[in-house]
Amino acid sequence: MATFISHSPAETESLGERWGRAAQPGLVIGLSGDLGAGKTQLVKGLARGLGITARVHSPTFTLVNEYGGGRRRLFHLDLYRLETRGQMVSAGLEEFLQPDGVAVIEWAERLEDGRWKMEDGKIIKVKIEILNETERRIIYDDFGA
Ligand SMILES: Nc1ncnc2c1ncn2[C@@H]1O[C@H](COP(=O)(O)OP(=O)(O)O)[C@@H](O)[C@H]1O
Ligand SMILES: [Mg+2]
């Protein structure tokens, strides 16, 4: 595990950007943390690091936003509104756990309910803790990026 203290949205984005630049195909990143922690901010950086220029925002009415045009495709999922494991299965989540590109999942802690344990090592786990208005503690599985 690694820990990074971010002092600004830009610093959080930079961390994501670094991961994006290093991202290998099939990478799945699971983000957890309260509303406003900075999960989407991190995804913006990830997209930039992949060379994606489109504006990134969380999928609200769909399960996934898909971004092309970069070094690898980015699948951006948000499980905030998915309650039960049954819903996740019917939402077809499984295909995004072996993405043709890179997948990043907000509210990934919701997966722990199902058979896709984040502990199984398939998903790089990232937890963002709010320290104060501008500081965040980001704890993550060090995947060498
Ligand atoms: N160090 C920081 N890292 C990330 N976001 C921060 C930080 N400090 C303040 N913020 C603010 O917190 C909010 C994070 O929002 P967002 O990324 O949408 O969170 P989430 O997706 O986790 O709900 C933004 O308004 C951002 O400007
Ligand atoms: Mg978000």
Side-chain angles (χ1 to χ4, degrees):
M1 295 296 256
T3 300
F4 176 83
I5 302 291
S6 164
H7 303 88
S8 67
E11 274 190 26
T12 298
E13 208 175 313
S14 295
L15 179 66
E17 188 177 351
R18 197 176 89 205
W19 292 351
R21 281 198 302 264
Q24 296 300 313
L27 176 70
V28 182
I29 297 176
L31 306 178
S32 62
D34 290 340
L35 210 59
K39 298 181 292 299
T40 302
Q41 199 72 40
L42 195 63
V43 179
K44 286 179 203 273
L46 191 65
R48 202 196 311 154
L50 286 166
I52 292 162
T53 54
R55 208 170 67 98
V56 168
H57 52 86
S58 264
T60 13
F61 299 108
T62 51
L63 175 71
V64 60
N65 278 348
E66 200 179 325
Y67 301 96
R71 197 167 53 83
R72 313 209 180 287
R73 292 195 80 68
L74 177 65
F75 301 92
H76 179 193
L77 291 86
D78 190 328
L79 306 184
Y80 185 62
R81 281 174 191 78
L82 287 188
E83 298 295 337
T84 66
R85 174 162 182 261
Q87 271 179 291
M88 292 190 199
V89 172
S90 56
L93 206 57
E94 210 155 358
E95 67 173 290
F96 299 109
L97 299 179
Q98 288 165 303
D100 178 18
V102 173
V104 61
I105 306 172
E106 295 195 39
W107 295 96
E109 59 266 49
R110 304 234 156 137
L111 286 173
E112 296 196 326
D113 198 28
R115 71 184 158 99
W116 306 289
K117 292 266 183 258
M118 288 204 279
E119 284 72 24
D120 72 8
K122 266 185 63 179
I123 301 182
I124 303 300
K125 255 196 302 179
V126 180
K127 188 173 196 309
I128 309 180
E129 295 171 356
I130 301 176
L131 298 180
N132 57 47
E133 211 171 302
T134 56
E135 293 184 312
R136 306 289 188 264
R137 180 185 292 121
I138 304 175
I139 303 157
Y140 59 96
D141 293 333
D142 200 345
F143 60 107

